Amino acid sequence: MARVIVATRKYEWADGSGSIEVRWFKPVRSRRDYVCKYEVVGIGPSKLKADAVGVDSVQALWVAIEGARVLLERRSG
């Protein structure tokens, strides 16, 4: 099954040296939960990929958005 991007956000480095893009994919039903995959492109040599889990698709997407925020905050320091 192909992953469908439902949202993206592009961040520019303050010094103008480049950018980072975060992509969130459509949450899909797992056995009992929903899983929302997301990835960050532009940090390091490859994409950083992660999954977020929620009781429904909205919660899974929300957890993925928060997960990306935390990941970016940790990397920015």
Side-chain angles (χ1 to χ4, degrees):
M1 181 169 130
R3 295 188 302 169
V4 176
I5 295 174
V6 294
T8 62
R9 175 161 279 180
K10 189 171 185 177
Y11 299 91
E12 301 287 334
W13 290 110
D15 64 4
S17 64
S19 63
I20 297 169
E21 184 173 280
V22 182
R23 300 173 187 147
W24 292 275
F25 297 91
K26 180 180 177 181
V28 294
R29 181 93 167 137
S30 183
R31 288 184 178 195
R32 293 186 312 152
D33 300 314
Y34 283 78
V35 177
C36 182
K37 294 185 177 295
Y38 62 100
E39 62 187 23
V40 180
V41 180
I43 296 180
S46 61
K47 297 176 190 174
L48 296 174
K49 299 178 181 181
D51 295 344
V53 178
V55 297
D56 60 23
S57 60
V58 173
Q59 185 182 41
L61 180 58
W62 179 254
V63 172
I65 291 168
E66 283 297 301
R69 181 189 63 78
V70 169
L71 189 149
L72 290 172
E73 282 181 353
R74 288 182 180 164
R75 292 289 181 138
S76 70

